[in-house]
Amino acid sequence: MATETKRTFCRFCHAGCAIDVDIDVEANAVLNVRGVLEDPVYEGYTCVKGRHLGHQHEHPGRLRQSLKKVGDSHQPIGTDTAFDEIAEKVAGILAKHGPRSVASYCGTAAYQNATGLPIAMAFHSSIGSPSFYTSSSIDQPGKAIAPLRHGAWGAGVHGLETADVACIVGCNTIVSSFGYPGGLPGFNPLMRLKRLKEKGLFLIVVDPRYTEVAHYADIYLPIKAGEDPTMLSAFLREILEHDMYDHDFVAQYVNGLDDLRIAVDPFTLDYASQRTGVDKGLIAEAARRFAGGKRGALTTGTGPDMAPHSSLTEHLVLAINTLCGRYNRAGETIRNPGGLLTPPAPLRAQVVPPRPEALTKGPKSRIRDIYNQRGQAATSTLAEEILLEGEGQIRALFTLGGNPVVAWPDQRTTVEALSALDIHVLMDVHMSPTAKLAHYVIASTLSLERPDVPTTIDRWFDEPYQHYTPAVLEMRGDIRQEWQVYVEVASRLGVTIKMPGGDITPGMKVTADDVLDLIYANTKLPLAELRKHVGGTVFPEYVTTVLPADEGHTARFEMVPDGIAEELREVISEATSAAVIKGFDPDVHTFRMSTRRLKSVFNSSGREVEKLRAREGMNFAHMNPEDLVELGITDGAMVEVSSPRGSIRTIAKAADDVRRGTVSMAHAWGGLPDTPSDLATFGSTTGALIDLQSGYDEITGIPVMSAIPVAVRAAS
Ligand SMILES: Nc1nc2c(c(=O)[nH]1)N[C@H]1C(S)=C(S)[C@@H](COP(=O)(O)OP(=O)(O)OC[C@H]3O[C@@H](n4cnc5c(=O)[nH]c(N)nc54)[C@H](O)[C@@H]3O)O[C@H]1N2
Ligand SMILES: Nc1nc2c(c(=O)[nH]1)N[C@H]1C(S)=C(S)[C@@H](COP(=O)(O)OP(=O)(O)OC[C@H]3O[C@@H](n4cnc5c(=O)[nH]c(N)nc54)[C@H](O)[C@@H]3O)O[C@H]1N2
Ligand code: SF4
Ligand SMILES: [Mo]
């Protein structure tokens, strides 16, 4: 057997771990995956998912040919023939209903694919369609919009590696590998956290679950899910009351300090303790220890950003960091200058001014008046955009690396909508629950079959690090890279796709590497330079120093921009955050479902690989053992979990690490509703519990996807 070892990076998740892959050359198959010990960022780290990349690529259910829905079943179709048919149908829809009627939804697998998402986005702007959707608007959209109201700091927030204190709210990087500047980096997260602790980091964790990260906390606050706005307001109040903020920084850069004092005044320690369920001494200590440090930020993950009032929560996060002056100042060294694959831009010690007008500019949804943000429409409105008749109705959908049936909020509406489309083209690697509804399933590549660069995390590296990989496996079967789908359809439509580095005109022959060059045409580190290096590389020449402010720059942060004081009063008027949900009954919905992630799968990806699924079992309802006893439910029994919107069945699992009153459950399991599914194999879809129409965030449209009020009872 001829074998070869190729250096590349893993794209099972966004973290991009450097790996060596042993390949059986004749079979074009993966034999083994190892971390790269000498990699300067990952130092040999991999997780169980990455080590099963070969199983994912060689999975027997892997699609090697495209399929077309005929009646109730899917029949093989030549991929080029599928492109002909798709283009003809889409051309008709465009001519009759205009560009808005054609949409794309890019899921997580489009983010781990440097050519995928940018081409999809460029296709939509080239046909003049604002109907471009991604998973990020049902992820943590509050993070992107908060700086538009508060302002941002040109040189960024303190990184964790230089911090003496950090507060992590609802983020579990050891499992999720999710972490952005200020938080725990997703690269070899456990080892990094251990090193930081050895160096004396004081860690505060706020989470309804005593998470893998919380095990390393000096102060752990077991918050009731959904009460983060109260906790963060109490932190602000405590810091102000004890005069523990950065007076010089605030005097120079902040507007609205007095208004902030007034707005958070009701959030006393007693009130916060009663509302969050956390001892008031512990809240006070956490606030004072955080403010008493010199460097280090407060950061969040999906938990608080999926709970009620998520845009408010992200504003309060920024307000805390600003109040404590936790920003990089002139003269400080910054190792990663905001990503090597982004355009050159100096880092300046100044406030990027708030632009609240951007929140209500440009295209908006016909549903709940949610505006597009950063060139993207809100995915929480897409199902209803498909169902609502009239001008602007969406009739054609391309789904790239996403699984709406199990991942979009409100499963019933989602399924109804996907069934109502004139045409749904899905690019996936196997028959997902969503594929079962799609008109065309385009058999697509997996990561090792594509050249790539890590993009989601380019700005998050704590070193000036990048990694180009060529494809390490050949494409086998009648499969396509995702960018090819857009280029082929555009070509047949006579559409020129406009890219930063030039145009892709109809009929033009391009390779994946050409496409990478067209996307990354204006980067600090030229792609041509990056390609000369095998494996992940640090480019020390990009280490930079924070420059002083531009002369005459006077922009300031806004502590209480429009909408904040009002929303804080709303919070105070609610006895619990669950009150935002229509149909919430405090006597019935006595639990909160909080979302969490599982190590061996990535949302719905990975559960098709038996060895990975076996490690998790399914998405159990993790509950405190005392709650189970009180409900008369035995560990391992079937339970029914019901929200005002819907019910699911699952299996209860006693978990000491979950605070009382909480059902901690992973999403993106289960399948189509009303299809008999083997619970023990496929789990159930928590999205069925989510209501799109009440309790949503009015700016981003994200519905309440964590801290969902639920009732739990034994199921027969
Ligand atoms: N209730 C609830 N709902 C949630 C969340 C929650 O916490 N709770 N979380 C939300 C979040 S944060 C997100 S990001 C979304 C995720 O939403 P989605 O991105 O829609 O869901 P995934 O399960 O990640 O879908 C990935 C799909 O891509 C396919 N795939 C994998 N690799 C490739 C590839 O290389 N090429 C192609 N073409 N396809 C590939 C997989 O088979 C799978 O079908 O879900 C959201 N929904
Ligand atoms: N192994 C693995 N890695 C993944 C994924 C996966 O499915 N598996 N998914 C990927 C995706 S799409 C994303 S967006 C990232 C997310 O990355 P993270 O945000 O780190 O995701 P989680 O690990 O679910 O951590 C969220 C934490 O929030 C807590 N939480 C829930 N509700 C609340 C609340 O109301 N308040 C507070 N304070 N905490 C709350 C949960 O208990 C949980 O510990 O992870 C990515 N990485
Ligand atoms: S953390 Fe993510 S990128 Fe790294 S090995 Fe695991 S799945 Fe792959
Ligand atoms: Mo996500």
Side-chain angles (χ1 to χ4, degrees), residues 21 24 50 84 141 230 235 291 299 390 397 476 510-511 546 568 570 590-591 636:
V21 183
D24 174 340
D84 293 339
T230 294
F235 282 180
T299 54
L397 177 65
R476 181 150 51 80
V510 281
T511 65
V546 179
L568 282 171
E570 254 172 61
T590 50
F591 285 82

Side-chain angles (χ1 to χ4, degrees), residues 335-376:
R335 296 200 59 81
N336 177 1
L340 298 186
L341 297 183
T342 58
L347 297 178
R348 290 199 180 271
Q350 64 191 30
V351 177
V352 181
R355 290 190 297 123
E357 67 283 358
L359 295 174
T360 49
K361 235 191 185 152
K364 70 170 175 178
S365 174
R366 300 176 300 152
I367 310 296
R368 294 182 283 283
D369 285 336
I370 306 297
Y371 283 84
N372 287 21
Q373 303 291 347
R374 297 174 301 144
Q376 295 187 19

Side-chain angles (χ1 to χ4, degrees), residues 232-244 264 267-269 280 283-288 291:
L232 299 178
S233 297
F235 282 180
L236 282 164
R237 189 183 189 282
E238 194 65 12
I239 294 168
L240 288 168
E241 174 149 316
H242 292 274
D243 215 11
M244 293 188 74
V264 300
F267 295 89
T268 61
L269 290 176
K280 70 176 178 181
I283 300 176
E285 195 191 341
R288 290 185 218 166

Side-chain angles (χ1 to χ4, degrees), residues 285-306:
E285 195 191 341
R288 290 185 218 166
R289 288 303 297 243
F290 181 77
K294 285 195 174 56
R295 293 183 71 92
L298 186 147
T299 54
T300 58
T302 45
D305 282 22
M306 289 186 177

Side-chain angles (χ1 to χ4, degrees), residues 108 135 139-140 302 306 597 603:
T108 54
S135 53
D139 190 327
Q140 300 155 80
T302 45
M306 289 186 177
R597 269 137 189 86
N603 305 328

